[in-house]
Amino acid sequence: MAAATILIVDDEPTNLFLLTGLLRPEYLVRAANSGESALRAAASQPRPDLVLLDVMMPGMDGYAVLARLRENSETCDIPVMFLTALAAADDEERGLHLGAADYITKPIKPAVVLARVRSQLQAKQARDWLRDENSFLEAEVARRTTENDLTQIITIRALAHLAETRDPETGSHILRTQGYVRQLALGLRRHPRFVDFLNARNVDLVTRSAPLHDIGKVGIPDSILQKPGKLTAEEWEIMKTHAKLGSDAIEQAEADAEQPVAFLILAKEIAHWHHEKWDGSGYPDGLAGDAIPYSARLMALADVFDALISLRVYKAPMSYEQARDIIAAERGRHFDPDVADAFLASFDEFVGIAQRYRDSAEARHPTG
């Protein structure tokens, strides 16, 4: 390990000579004979590990030097020991109050100086180790958090795509609807009715959860899910069960977790209730108005808009403007009025998201 560097600051050449001779056998010693030169030395390399600072110097005294060292981010953590002929208790108290690590009166006792220097250097070494260890731990926590977030996102996408393999017409539906939900959340985050729910954390969580809205479709028979024509009344009742199938599957995943997972709570709400309508005519539970969770209200509009503009074997895609007009007409019936207003206010952004994630088949059938 490299020897510690000590900066001695004293305007008396005799004191500099004495202290240098005492410390040089064990340490790298630098010297300064004024406050101004001490500040330059402290800020240059090699940065001192400890400063032995005389108090009574012409021009800038030791107290002023200490104050300047503490103001500089590059030198504020260097421990300073005052060496002074001022032996009164008030003088020592003042020095310690200003941030000195120790206070030694002159004439110095070599054994005492050496012992206190070692003590201060050991304390600094421990602080440096702890700081480096904390920095490492913080970096490791940040790395693992990023890795966990990425794993979570990939897992959600994988599950959502698994559902899409059963319903091949949906294509990039999950990417588009996720973008729509985020856009709605951002547009409503300062609205008085939504401000408590749509904090930064929940905006992120509801966006992450959105791709799982139709996960329950994996439990719907192919004969119904992939039927090209209109469903019979009996088939439609079976199709509607995908909402509860999805929330049940997420609830089982929750039960397996050792502690609550926030995004699963919202994912379960979205899967279960994204087909509810503001006027109570939706499914599976016929919820109305504010009884419908916020997350499901956002997903409801995002899902319908994408269905309207998307190509299906039984229909051509609507234009963006047609879809906009239908949603505007359903304000207060199918959709929360404020959610519909947020959509209308950010219609251009919705169009941009739709075009960014357009399926190749839909690209041959322009909707705008």
Side-chain angles (χ1 to χ4, degrees):
M1 182 181 296
T5 299
I6 298 177
L7 173 62
I8 304 170
V9 186
D10 201 307
D11 63 312
E12 289 290 336
T14 302
N15 291 335
L16 288 177
F17 179 79
L18 175 63
L19 288 167
T20 299
L22 176 65
L23 298 170
R24 184 160 284 166
E26 296 184 45
Y27 308 107
L28 175 62
V29 178
R30 302 173 64 191
N33 61 3
S34 69
E36 291 80 1
S37 60
L39 293 175
R40 290 193 296 270
S44 61
Q45 297 295 336
R47 190 78 33 86
D49 297 293
L50 177 66
V51 176
L52 302 185
L53 179 60
D54 185 25
V55 173
M56 299 174 65
M57 295 184 295
M60 184 182 294
D61 66 13
Y63 298 131
V65 173
L66 177 59
R68 293 280 295 277
L69 289 173
R70 293 293 174 261
E71 292 171 358
N72 188 337
S73 61
E74 295 181 348
T75 61
C76 61
D77 293 329
I78 300 173
V80 173
M81 293 173 56
F82 275 139
L83 294 175
T84 179
L86 299 174
D90 289 347
D91 295 318
E92 181 175 357
E93 184 177 338
R94 180 186 178 190
L96 296 175
H97 178 73
L98 290 173
D102 204 346
Y103 193 98
I104 300 177
T105 57
K106 297 176 182 178
I108 64 170
K109 297 177 182 178
V112 172
V113 172
L114 286 173
R116 293 194 178 181
V117 164
R118 291 191 191 102
S119 177
Q120 290 300 326
L121 290 173
Q122 288 171 356
K124 182 179 185 298
Q125 185 179 38
R127 289 193 300 270
D128 290 347
W129 179 88
L130 185 60
R131 181 196 62 213
D132 293 343
E133 185 72 7
N134 286 341
S135 296
F136 170 79
L137 291 174
E138 288 172 2
E140 182 65 10
V141 168
R143 184 190 68 80
R144 293 191 180 188
T145 299
T146 300
E147 184 178 271
N148 289 341
D149 284 348
L150 183 59
T151 300
Q152 188 182 89
I153 291 169
I154 292 172
T155 301
I156 293 170
R157 290 279 176 85
L159 290 171
H161 283 303
L162 175 63
E164 284 194 335
T165 63
R166 302 286 321 291
D167 188 9
E169 292 176 330
T170 55
S172 298
H173 173 69
I174 63 169
L175 295 176
R176 293 192 297 268
T177 52
Q178 186 176 43
Y180 304 150
V181 166
R182 178 172 175 77
Q183 182 62 46
L184 288 172
L186 292 175
L188 289 163
R189 70 189 186 279
R190 293 188 179 88
H191 192 287
R193 290 180 57 229
F194 291 81
V195 67
D196 290 338
F197 171 67
L198 289 175
N199 53 49
R201 177 65 171 154
N202 278 349
V203 168
D204 178 63
L205 290 176
V206 75
T207 303
R208 290 190 187 202
S209 304
L212 294 178
H213 65 282
D214 274 340
I215 190 68
K217 285 186 175 180
V218 297
I220 302 300
D222 287 347
S223 60
I224 295 175
L225 192 63
Q226 300 180 14
K227 184 177 180 178
K230 184 177 180 180
L231 298 179
T232 66
E234 183 178 284
E235 290 170 335
W236 177 238
E237 289 304 314
I238 295 173
M239 172 64 86
K240 290 195 293 185
T241 64
H242 81 273
K244 188 172 187 306
L245 288 173
S247 65
D248 286 350
I250 296 170
E251 188 167 351
Q252 288 177 351
E254 274 189 302
D256 293 336
E258 295 180 357
Q259 59 187 27
V261 181
F263 94 88
L264 287 180
I265 296 172
L266 295 183
K268 183 169 62 175
E269 291 179 356
I270 287 173
H272 194 104
W273 289 300
H274 71 284
H275 288 294
E276 300 289 357
K277 297 182 180 181
W278 188 250
D279 63 5
S281 63
Y283 68 88
D285 299 322
L287 300 184
D290 288 328
I292 305 169
Y294 292 111
S295 57
R297 290 181 234 168
L298 303 183
M299 190 71 239
L301 191 146
D303 196 34
V304 169
F305 176 74
D306 202 65
L308 293 173
I309 65 170
S310 295
L311 176 69
R312 295 291 183 264
V313 294
Y314 51 86
K315 77 171 189 72
M318 288 186 180
S319 71
Y320 300 129
E321 290 72 22
Q322 286 175 306
R324 178 195 60 199
D325 293 344
I326 287 175
I327 289 176
E330 288 297 312
R331 180 186 184 276
R333 292 202 295 261
H334 192 145
F335 308 112
D336 180 328
D338 292 322
V339 175
D341 289 344
F343 161 76
L344 295 171
S346 58
F347 175 69
D348 290 343
E349 285 76 10
F350 268 67
V351 172
I353 293 166
Q355 292 177 335
R356 187 178 316 134
Y357 298 113
R358 181 181 294 183
D359 292 320
S360 57
E362 290 165 354
R364 296 191 295 271
H365 299 269
T367 55

